[in-house]
Amino acid sequence: MKKISLLCFVLLISFAAIAQNNLITNIPNRKTVTLNGKWQYIVDPYETGFYDYRYKELNEKNGGAYWNTDVPANKTALNEHSYTDKNMLQVPGDWNHQDPKFLYYEGTVWYKKSFDYKKPASGKVFLYFGAVNYRADVYLNGKKLGMHKGGFTPFNFEVPANLLKETNNFLVVKVDNKRFADEVPTLNTDWWNYGGITRDVKLVEVPENFIRDYFIQLKRASPGAAPAKNPEVEGWIKLNQKPVNGEKLTVEIPELKLKQQFTASDSITKIGFKLPKIQLWSPANPKLYRVIISSNQDKTEDKIGFRTIEASGKQVLLNGKPIFMRGISIHGEIPQEIRRAYSKADAMQLLGQARGLGCNMVRLAHYLHDETMERTADSLGILVWSEIPVYWTIDFGNKEVLNKAKAQLTEMITRDHNRASVIIWSVGNETPVSPTRTDFMHNLIIKAKELDQTRMVSAALEVNYSALKNLNEVNDPLGEFVDLVAFNEYLGWYGGLPDKCRTTNWATPYNKPLFISETGAGAKGGFHADSLTRFSEEFQEWYYKEQVAMLKRMPANFVGLSPWVLNDFRSPKRNNIYQEGWNRKGLIDDKGNKKKAYYVLKAYYEQKKQSAENQKKK
Ligand code: GCB
């Protein structure tokens, strides 16, 4: 009895977790109207368009609000703001790279777009943002649609039916990228705080009762086993509102001649069915199937790859077979143009570079990247680690901060839970060990597992050195709760010189796979000196040579690495003559030139790939 009620409770909270989230997924394949392009803007460091001179939020009656019309009621009316073509920003795009005056700007910018729009005869319209960093207050024709916090995750607001006009809609977004101690991330990060509407903006047209979200993934095989010949799909479909009595939901996979029907339930409809013999998704064969999901009123289609992933004993098994992750960490930035990445072309550039290096895996640090990255990884066959910006010293004792982190985690998982490439949800990076922090992180892990039981959950941890044992131990108490024990080590960069690697050994008390989520050294591309000279390409090359030699002595549960980092990236914390505002740990410099260390890692990955292939042949 007790067991049953506990089970009901767990089910209830997991359904509640899904139900709370109103994100519409599969946006790239929905009927949408883009609002990308040039937007007019007003820079407003004092938030004059938001607060009156007594610092109270302005209301509709007040002509001073920048979200209200900028057209004075008559020629005598006093109006102190106007949007003009003289001030325009490209959307999507951070503001920092678009005008030198924005390079270091942190504060409010008001974005305004006027647009004509032919409303569909029936159904609903949502306004969707791929991401806005950090806080977005959204207004349409003088009405507030909502507010969202979190600089890297998507969100949508329903547009009330009578609000949209055929011509001259007045859409305003107050974007604020100020950093705060009680936000996620917090004040301190090692990356540039690019502000703005950094990803797509779209109107999404859906029927009255539409398919909001769905989860169509292979059910985990029994522990350690490969998927069966006829593997099972397990998941759910979520409509926007209650179905009509007896309404059927259909899942079709035309290539497999498969069509399954389910009677819709009031909240979330659970689905499950066996597939015929399929090609499993893997880096060697990134097979995606066209999947069509339909209800009485709606139909949406996606491309889904089917695979299983699990941490089993000391290994990571992809489709039941051990895999070594030849990874690289990536920031969502295009260094050549000093801007945030957002497009398919950007994804092709970054993932193409990773492939060139011999990678089968990428760690998309330290926040959710643009959706094109995961979709491109799906089609290229690259495994993905996806992370939320719970980075360094978050305000772990603050319940509200935990809620903010959970919201971002939920948005991340919701957006990408049908991507075959994504195998790891990471709940954070290098968080300082304390009971409060471990509780906080454990809560996030529980949440991730509630939302998705088909992937691994991890976090990038730190290392403890025991002089007594001459051993680097990954014994962070959080290790107990993660599936993959991942850690960042900079042996020879932050501690001593690279030859320290020769005498160092690694271990974890956890009987789990072990992954190096970061290792790296800085070098300015084109700066050559002897290998003892910091920031020379030769130092970085030496570092990688010593690291690679050390990796060969790693314990048997060592399952891969994602060194820091693919490209040099902008960081306000890096200010010496070699760095000049760049973190120079890229294997490729900001101009796109490969550094010497690049070839050391590439050779290691070639050899790992070769030995995996030889293993397969046996
Ligand atoms: C780290 C952080 C990463 C930094 C890197 C560095 O451990 O996770 O965000 O950029 O070290 O370069 O120090």
Side-chain angles (χ1 to χ4, degrees), residues 190-191 331 363 366 391-392 429-430 460 462 488 490 493-494 518 564 569 574 583 585:
D190 187 20
W191 69 78
H331 258 297
R363 174 178 178 220
H366 285 296
Y391 183 90
W392 292 351
N429 179 77
E430 290 185 353
E462 289 179 320
N488 298 348
Y490 285 87
W493 180 257
Y494 288 128
E518 285 178 33
W564 195 253
F569 64 93
R574 308 289 171 174
N583 183 315
K585 296 191 190 72

Side-chain angles (χ1 to χ4, degrees), residues 115 117 119-120 123-127 138-146 156-165 169 171 203-204 208:
F115 63 95
Y117 180 63
K119 253 193 302 190
K124 293 178 182 293
V125 178
F126 284 79
L127 183 58
V138 181
Y139 305 85
L140 181 66
N141 297 330
K143 287 267 171 313
K144 188 160 189 169
L145 296 184
N156 45 247
F157 300 123
E158 184 171 349
V159 183
N162 52 8
L163 197 58
L164 277 162
K165 302 184 295 185
N169 288 286
L171 174 61
L203 289 167
V204 186
E208 205 50 46

Side-chain angles (χ1 to χ4, degrees), residues 544-556:
Y544 270 83
K545 280 185 176 160
E546 296 285 358
Q547 285 274 328
V548 163
M550 180 182 76
L551 297 181
K552 295 184 177 156
R553 288 186 284 109
M554 288 297 272

